Amino acid sequence: MDKDQVADILTEIGVLLELKGENPFKTRAYTNAARTLESLTEPLATLVAEDRLGTIKGIGDALQQKITELVTTGKLPYYEELKASLPPGLMEMLQIPGVGPKKVKALYDQLGLKSVPDLEAACRAGQIASLAGFGEKTQAKILEGIQFRRTYASRHLLVAGIKAADPLLEALREHPDVIRCGTAGSLRRSKEVIGDVDFLASSKHPSHVLDYFVSQPGVISVSAKGDTKASVILTGGIQADLRVVSDVEYPFALAYFTGSKEHNIVMRQRAIQRGLRLNEYGLFRSAEETRDPALRVECRTEEEIYAALDLAFIPPELREDHGEFAAAEGPGFPRLIEWSDLRGSLHNHSTYSDGHDSLEAIATHIQELGCDYWAVTDHSKSSVQARGLDPARLREEISQIKTINQKLADEGEDFRLLSGTEVDILKDRLDFDDDLLSELEVVVASLHAGFSADEAENTKRIIRAAENPFVHMLGHLTGRLLLEREPYKVNQQAVIDACAETGTWIELNANPRRFDMDWRLWPYAKSKGVKCVINCDAHRMEHAGYLRLGAGMARKGWLTKADIINTLPLSQLRKALQWKRSR
Ligand code: DGT
Ligand code: CA
Ligand code: CA
Ligand code: ZN
């Protein structure tokens, strides 16, 4: 065991002794010894081997013995026994802000609380407030701390990160001392789920920028603040880092902190092969690690860094070491899809099923947004919980859509609603028969309920849906809900092959909880010639904004405008909707 591992155990012993109510001198001896070890300049093993531990101030006989035991055997029965004598949940209780060993001991001794869930329940029952030394305020604070920890310790949807980051980025842009700024990390790479948000800024006065940043309204607490970096918790419990660098360093820091780690490793290797060193501070003409400005290869932008390593610029979304280097060494990248290329969404809901808005309201609002078309694909009758339509209601909806479109035409508007359905894939058939499907302009087929635990069975059902000549596309292929529900089992590659065979499109569901089919599979689908449809699956008009997120995810899947059906203008879309039916 090295000194850091030993120090950690001594610190823990100190805490455990405090929880046991040992006298403060004894507990402090352990904590102090841990600090001393951490600042040692020579290896602990040497001190032990030469029997010199006793010469260090503050390490008495008992401690010498324990440290020696840890260094030589890697074990300490005294520590194991101490740990076993207390409920393991107590250590976790200590991680809640404002709850120290004294409080944990009181809670354990007086109320028998052994874990964070125990503590939460006691707070809710109002039992903490009446304990000596606690009170209402402390109780509320503990409860808040528990909830806080639960949220920010976890991972977050991309959309939550963007929502939290946008106002702060706006604020940074406005600050007079900020030269350049942006987001980095997984958010910039458009990962579907993120750990934390990374901001980067360049400035001549980092401390001004940091002071300003931590005092923004979106910042609910400051976890750490130094000369060039701050870590904070944003509204919604998302952790964020801001790093402030010089403007010369900015492009290098941006590339480094955008990652991914895997991408960075390849970049660094390429630099080394060229006799250079790449790190967060720069690209240096050097054979070893350095940050000497005199050796820096000047790059004003990320583009210039890639060029210096003989690479085409790699869009941030592709920096996952998923084949981007081969492309960047060769021909470079085609122009990836931009969200403004999208002209509408082909899977959406209205008040006919479980949507929030009426057909009229949808038509008015979506047209104002500048879309060319919007398919209304309400649920089919088996989706009872989503108020699925029976054939009669669906025909009623088709007729109302015709009326609305007629009115639009009379007013000289080009925008159109498209009639459709999101038809349930049932065990051995689709929820509507082919006659009815043939009356609809857009048919999305989705597996909603009753999927099997058997991958082969699910795959078979979905492929059968793809084989139906009236099904244009498959909706949310795996049914996953990010951070909530695992995907059901399905052989996605086999489904893609079947879609290639039958001329069926696959949805990229742009709902930020879904992003399904996953970006990792799109390069394969593309190689098979399977087209993508980026759909909002809107249940409210505001969900039209998902198109932007969906485009980010499609970029991550290497897709271009030509790969995506809903970039087509209405007349061409109508033709495309006939392809499969006329085969
Ligand atoms: P996240 O926050 O878990 O969603 O993922 P990232 O990618 O945002 O990771 P984060 O926030 O830990 O760090 C931001 C970037 O900094 C990361 O994408 C690459 C770079 N980075 C961080 N640690 C390392 C490292 O140990 N080695 C290398 N090469 N790069 C690193
Ligand atoms: Ca991050
Ligand atoms: Ca980070
Ligand atoms: Zn739907």
Side-chain angles (χ1 to χ4, degrees), residues 249-284:
E249 288 170 341
Y250 185 83
F252 303 102
L254 182 62
Y256 181 87
F257 291 111
T258 296
S260 63
K261 205 167 157 175
E262 294 72 18
H263 179 91
N264 288 353
I265 290 168
V266 179
M267 291 288 280
R268 212 200 318 267
Q269 280 314 113
R270 283 187 77 88
I272 289 170
Q273 285 159 6
R274 285 161 180 74
L276 303 168
R277 280 285 160 159
L278 178 66
N279 55 38
E280 59 196 279
Y281 308 104
L283 178 63
F284 300 96

Side-chain angles (χ1 to χ4, degrees), residues 177-181 200-206 244-254 280-282 296 298-302 305:
D177 284 331
V178 169
I179 306 167
R180 287 189 265 182
C181 66
L200 185 69
S202 63
S203 175
K204 288 188 174 131
H205 305 285
V244 187
V245 301
S246 71
D247 201 57
V248 178
E249 288 170 341
Y250 185 83
F252 303 102
L254 182 62
E280 59 196 279
Y281 308 104
R296 190 184 278 118
E298 206 172 309
C299 297
R300 288 280 307 148
T301 59
E302 276 187 330
I305 300 173

Side-chain angles (χ1 to χ4, degrees), residues 496-548:
I496 291 169
D497 292 345
C499 287
E501 196 74 18
T502 57
T504 310
W505 309 328
I506 296 179
E507 169 179 274
L508 195 174
N509 191 299
N511 181 316
R513 292 161 69 213
R514 293 192 185 267
F515 290 143
D516 185 10
M517 187 169 80
D518 190 274
W519 58 269
R520 294 162 186 83
L521 285 146
W522 285 109
Y524 178 72
K526 181 179 165 134
S527 78
K528 289 274 165 175
V530 173
K531 300 285 182 198
C532 169
V533 189
I534 301 178
N535 283 327
C536 295
D537 195 355
H539 285 72
R540 295 177 163 271
M541 299 187 293
E542 300 87 271
H543 297 166
Y546 293 165
L547 283 179
R548 191 174 204 144

Side-chain angles (χ1 to χ4, degrees), residues 288-534:
E288 56 233 37
E289 250 347 280
T290 178
R291 42 189 295 196
D292 180 355
L295 303 175
R296 190 184 278 118
V297 178
E298 206 172 309
C299 297
R300 288 280 307 148
T301 59
E302 276 187 330
E303 278 83 350
E304 293 179 14
I305 300 173
Y306 284 99
L309 298 177
D310 306 309
L311 293 168
F313 176 72
I314 301 179
E317 296 90 340
L318 305 190
R319 299 183 195 170
E320 300 288 352
D321 194 20
H322 278 205
E324 69 270 27
F325 287 101
E329 277 175 349
F333 300 89
R335 176 186 169 282
L336 299 176
I337 176 86
E338 306 266 351
W339 81 279
S340 51
D341 295 332
L342 298 170
R343 306 207 175 209
S345 159
L346 299 184
H347 169 185
N348 308 288
H349 301 271
S350 77
T351 43
Y352 268 84
S353 66
D354 61 346
H356 179 265
D357 304 298
S358 68
L359 295 177
E360 290 88 349
I362 292 171
T364 309
H365 177 75
I366 300 294
Q367 179 189 12
E368 273 168 15
L369 286 181
C371 285
D372 293 353
Y373 45 80
W374 200 255
V376 183
T377 54
D378 280 307
H379 290 281
S380 63
K381 65 176 187 299
S382 289
S383 279
V384 178
Q385 77 297 338
R387 311 201 312 118
L389 278 59
D390 61 23
R393 278 277 287 161
L394 179 54
R395 290 204 166 91
E396 206 181 295
E397 185 175 31
I398 297 174
S399 138
Q400 201 193 336
I401 287 173
K402 281 195 180 129
T403 310
I404 291 172
N405 281 339
Q406 187 56 55
K407 194 159 159 257
L408 286 165
D410 292 346
E411 288 164 358
E413 300 290 352
D414 295 329
F415 176 83
R416 293 293 179 271
L417 288 181
L418 301 174
S419 64
T421 182
E422 179 181 15
V423 65
D424 266 317
I425 299 174
L426 304 181
K427 204 166 156 63
D428 44 11
R429 61 186 170 86
L430 295 177
D431 201 11
F432 290 137
D433 62 29
D434 287 1
D435 277 353
L436 182 51
L437 295 181
S438 74
E439 291 174 42
L440 295 160
E441 290 171 288
V442 178
V443 177
V444 183
S446 307
L447 194 54
H448 277 120
F451 38 82
S452 155
D454 177 13
E455 177 180 301
E457 176 61 28
N458 290 331
T459 307
K460 197 171 81 187
R461 282 187 213 174
I462 294 174
I463 289 179
R464 195 182 303 117
E467 285 166 349
N468 183 303
F470 298 101
V471 168
H472 292 111
M473 69 197 89
L474 299 173
H476 46 70
L477 194 54
T478 72
R480 75 176 180 190
L481 290 180
L482 294 165
L483 306 176
E484 277 174 62
R485 186 173 80 198
E486 288 299 308
Y488 45 71
K489 289 192 185 126
V490 53
N491 181 341
Q492 297 187 78
Q493 186 160 330
V495 173
I496 291 169
D497 292 345
C499 287
E501 196 74 18
T502 57
T504 310
W505 309 328
I506 296 179
E507 169 179 274
L508 195 174
N509 191 299
N511 181 316
R513 292 161 69 213
R514 293 192 185 267
F515 290 143
D516 185 10
M517 187 169 80
D518 190 274
W519 58 269
R520 294 162 186 83
L521 285 146
W522 285 109
Y524 178 72
K526 181 179 165 134
S527 78
K528 289 274 165 175
V530 173
K531 300 285 182 198
C532 169
V533 189
I534 301 178

